[in-house]
Amino acid sequence: MTKQVQQLDRVIIRFAGDSGDGMQLTGDRFTAGTAEFGNDLSTLPNFPAEIRAPAGTLPGVSSFQLHFADHDILTPGDAPNVLVAMNPAALKANLGDLPRGADIIANTDEFTKRNLQKVGYDGNPLEDDTLAEWRVHAVPLTSLTVRSLEGFDLSKKDAERSKNMFALGLLSWLYHRPTEHTISFLEQKFAKKPEIAKANIAAFQAGWNYGETTESFSVSYEIKPAKLAPGVYRNISGNQALAYGLIAASVQSKLPLFLGSYPITPASDILHELSKHKRFGVRTFQAEDEIAGVGAALGAAFGGSLGVTTTSGPGVVLKGETVGLAVMTELPLILVDVQRAGPSTGMPTKTEQTDLLMAMFGRNGESPVPIVAPSTPSDCFDAAIEAARIAVKYRTPVYLLSDGYLANGSEPWRLPEIDELPDISTEFAVPTGEEFQPYQRDTETLARPWAVPGTAGLEHRIGGIEKADGSGNISYDPGNHDHMVRLRQAKIDGIDVPALEVDDPTGDAGVLVLGWGSTYGPIAAAVRRIRKSGGKVAQAHLRHLNPLPANTGEVLKKYDKVLLPEINLGQLALLLRARFLVDIISYNRVRGLPFKAEELAGVIQDVIDGGEQGV
Amino acid sequence: MSELVNGKGLSLIPKADAKQSLKDFKSDQEVRWCPGCGDYAILAAVQSFLPELGLRRENIVFVSGIGCSSRFPYYLNTYGFHSIHGRAPAIATGLAASRPDLSVWVITGDGDALSIGGNHLIHALRRNVNLNILLFNNRIYGLTKGQYSPTSEVGKITKSTPMGSLDKPFNPISLAIGAEASFVARTLDSDRKHLQSVLREATAHRGTSLVEIYQNCNIFNDNAFEPLKDPGLRDDITLKLEHGQPIASASKAVVRAANGGIEVVARDGVSDEQILVHDAHNPDPSLAFALSRLDEPAFEHVPIGVFRQVERPAYDVLMAEQLDEAVDRQGPGDLSELLLGGDTWRIG
């Protein structure tokens, strides 16, 4: 039987199941196949903080969304075209996001009376008209998997566990994904358990064959590779890119990398990744707590390492005192905050942009710290190098504000040429014959000398007590303190950051949409939609939050209206209003999820049309 | 495992070219402790001890937290870092773990090390980071002007405890032994000879050495350790711990008790063979722990000296070995190769 093949330009798939169903792995493998095929893509994993939430319940649902296309895309997509629901909970938790006409592939084996009752279904939605608006493909995934593995020496339970690979095989057939990588991946993953490897591969192939033969699927889909800029690509998540960026910063600064860290979601993967790369001279230190993590990083920085600490919001709170010490002792230090939903423990696996003001002001005294924010998963690589450049050149702690969306999301990354990476190397202080002045500054950068232990003639003492200008001796002199407070501020204010670029193709837009950090994708996608429908809108994105680019005020004042979407209650808007007296229109949503492009397009259109309320 | 693991404490630290003197280690800063403070004696003892090590001065770093004792680094002409309350072991850990060529000292007090910094202290001890921790114990808060500390005796009347303190104090030696410390010792500010002999052993030990120094605060807790200094008492109550030597004072001796533990008895009531011989290198910490509990009730008989010194690989050496092993296995890191790792594809 020859089946019809339909061409599509883009598809959004969401895999959803219990947190033990292996949905993240399934999503990762589908992504790898998609990347290999050459589509542009963007992903959004969404999972509960509990490792194994109670089976079959709504809070236990884990999902992975993948958007892939034959052109460049900017977000993981607003609404799935296809939902793979491994159980009734997965269906119920995700149905609200499904547009009319979308495909639902449901595992009928799990739609038992008990499972349906658990999530409050009176009847079976696969059998009544609950799902009339959608195209439902009822597939007994579990029993098909078990049947396909009959020849294997496996318990029924073990056989059932391969159902995610059956689903992956089916979806791989449906969207013409290459299969070789998944097979070799499974062989490697289960190298020590060849029987399990074979079973998973068999389930995967059975899923594929099922698509080929069953009448439930009459059409399969082709999405041509995207025409991206020439180069070598790989798929990368934000956390991995950030870890690679730190290693690159170590290489480019010629400083050994020292990471002091305490495990915390969603930052731990940076610690995991860096701990694999000891051959780069990377020292990873899993500390007893957040405070010791940053303390050790600062101690290593004193000794001439590129000191880094990685954490998320609640960890930043604990590190504040040491960051203040780094400000006072003017040592390079990189503080990575992978922001998550707060306050307090909040929602650890969900994203937010709510730590900007904490990074800006969360210390006692006048304690300025530069802030850099990456805009996409792959941009975490460059942002990490930029944070290191500022830290090393200006001898200051630097905040790098990533977030959960960037950390776990992934996209194709065009690999940089190594020789094009910036040289961020610095010189340690050397004796000049004159008496050493640990707080004598470089006239251009205002940075003090970095004199590392082991250098004869530069023995000196630093600490958290106010320093006399120049000598660095303890000083309680009122005039000196006022002078030093202003000097530390002037040093940060004087950091060279590139000008804010504005994308305004017609040159006469009245509305500027401004963003920072991970909102780049949804904002840019929304701006495209507006322009496609003939609207005029300008876009600018801030990478440096402190200091701001010198032309920021000028850019803001050039437009009739400035719209600023943020996943907080208006933190950057507060800073910009105070600094530039510009009446920013804020749009704020704090749902633990990224903005949707369609949602932002609506807000932008509303502002263009005269609306003033960002709501 | 490399030979360095079990090498002496100073083997990785560069030696000075010329002979040094006390003057080389005095900084130009005016010393600002209260007149009569025990810290002066400790500073003088350390300044006159350091030349003996023959290390390059620039390879010595003193790290401190907050408190009276934590001003110490300013007065030594070495590298120094006066950090924040309780965090000196954490900062020193990062420094020592990344720089095996440095002699790193932590100067701390009973409040700094055992209250706010208790967590960092115990973890530094269990990791066996290459640090010499000098814990100045004066059993009171000095810099905040006289509140009781985690080593103050129960019932201590202070500004914050007008009816007497309620908390049971920490015994720093017991705490350190319980935290898997590989070197634990106690000495006294006023006994320079003993203090320097303990420092000598502490610096020869690679790993974390914890030295509790009984230090007099003449303003808020004067004469706290007077029984150990009183010429009429000290020889009777001081039990000097020396490896391989019987544990006894002029009039007292430590023997095995009938219940399996140890006890202090009159020296003239037992034969020499019955007196317990000190074994600082015993892998089993239980006897060292029992010795640390002997001075209950306080100052009837007080062991001083090295309670425990066992060889265990130091953290910095183990960390460096992992880096070397990674290079041996996979070759030195290559950035281009790292980025190209995983599944890549080419466009154009």
Side-chain angles (χ1 to χ4, degrees), chain A residues 29 32 35-36 38 181 226 228-235 244 247-248 251-252 258 277-289 291-292 295-296 298-300 302-303 305 321-322 325 329 331 381 412-413 415-416 418 421 435 451-456 458-465 473-474 476, chain B residues 27-29 32 56-61 63 71 73-85 87 90-95 97-102 116 119-121 123-124 126-127 315-316 319-320 322-324 326-327 330-348:
Chain A
R29 293 330 301 166
E36 189 204 351
H181 267 281
L228 301 173
V232 177
Y233 284 77
R234 68 181 283 177
N235 194 54
Y244 284 4
I247 294 172
V251 172
Q252 296 303 103
F258 184 98
H277 301 291
K278 297 188 198 302
R279 67 192 185 118
F280 284 87
V282 175
R283 285 178 161 83
T284 53
F285 172 66
Q286 184 176 314
E288 58 271 23
D289 59 25
I291 298 171
L298 184 62
F302 181 58
S305 288
E321 188 189 25
T322 309
L325 180 64
T329 53
L331 286 167
F381 178 84
W413 176 37
L415 299 181
I418 302 300
L421 294 177
E435 196 187 344
V452 301
T455 316
L458 302 188
E459 294 84 357
H460 66 286
R461 275 67 56 192
I462 56 171
I465 302 185
N473 289 335
I474 291 176
Y476 286 86
Chain B
S27 79
D28 59 356
Q29 300 295 300
R32 290 189 202 168
R56 283 180 181 266
R57 201 178 57 187
E58 63 270 21
N59 285 71
I60 300 175
V61 186
V63 183
R71 293 294 184 98
Y74 290 112
Y75 309 136
L76 288 162
N77 194 13
T78 62
Y79 281 86
F81 201 151
H82 177 207
S83 71
I84 39 181
H85 212 7
R87 317 301 170 206
I91 289 165
T93 292
L95 181 62
S98 57
R99 292 288 305 271
D101 62 325
L102 300 178
I116 191 165
N119 198 33
H120 308 306
L121 179 75
H123 288 277
R126 80 173 163 94
R127 287 192 187 102
Y315 192 79
D316 60 310
M319 201 178 220
Q322 282 198 341
L323 303 195
D324 291 345
V327 172
Q330 307 160 300
D334 178 310
L335 190 54
S336 172
E337 190 190 315
L338 172 75
L339 302 189
L340 283 166
D343 302 336
T344 58
W345 67 97
R346 178 175 286 282
I347 291 178

Side-chain angles (χ1 to χ4, degrees), chain A residues 148-169:
Chain A
S148 71
L149 299 179
E150 267 167 1
F152 288 84
D153 182 21
L154 289 175
S155 67
K156 183 160 175 278
K157 204 175 164 198
D158 275 345
E160 283 177 356
R161 288 178 66 174
S162 299
K163 63 180 181 288
N164 63 330
M165 287 301 116
F166 189 96
L168 180 63

Side-chain angles (χ1 to χ4, degrees), chain B residues 224-240:
Chain B
F225 306 103
E226 199 49 29
L228 291 172
K229 303 178 181 182
D230 183 327
L233 273 178
R234 67 183 178 203
D235 290 344
D236 287 319
I237 67 168
T238 304
L239 297 165
K240 283 204 173 159

Side-chain angles (χ1 to χ4, degrees), chain A residues 406-484:
Chain A
L406 295 179
N408 291 318
S410 68
E411 63 177 356
W413 176 37
R414 189 163 71 96
L415 299 181
E417 294 295 334
I418 302 300
D419 53 13
E420 286 167 13
L421 294 177
D423 177 4
I424 57 171
S425 59
T426 188
E427 301 284 328
F428 291 138
V430 288
T432 59
E434 284 170 36
E435 196 187 344
F436 180 53
Q437 299 265 315
Y439 277 74
Q440 193 166 45
R441 287 163 199 284
D442 181 277
T443 48
E444 183 214 339
T445 63
L446 298 182
R448 75 175 191 89
W450 191 1
V452 301
T455 316
L458 302 188
E459 294 84 357
H460 66 286
R461 275 67 56 192
I462 56 171
I465 302 185
E466 182 60 288
K467 306 279 172 291
D469 189 18
S471 74
N473 289 335
I474 291 176
S475 171
Y476 286 86
D477 179 76
N480 177 72
H481 179 55
D482 185 81
H483 176 64
M484 291 300 278

Side-chain angles (χ1 to χ4, degrees), chain A residues 571-588:
Chain A
Q571 298 197 3
L572 179 59
L574 180 79
L575 295 177
L576 297 179
R577 279 167 168 259
R579 174 89 183 272
F580 301 108
L581 301 176
V582 169
D583 192 15
I584 307 268
I585 301 170
S586 272
Y587 178 75
N588 309 109

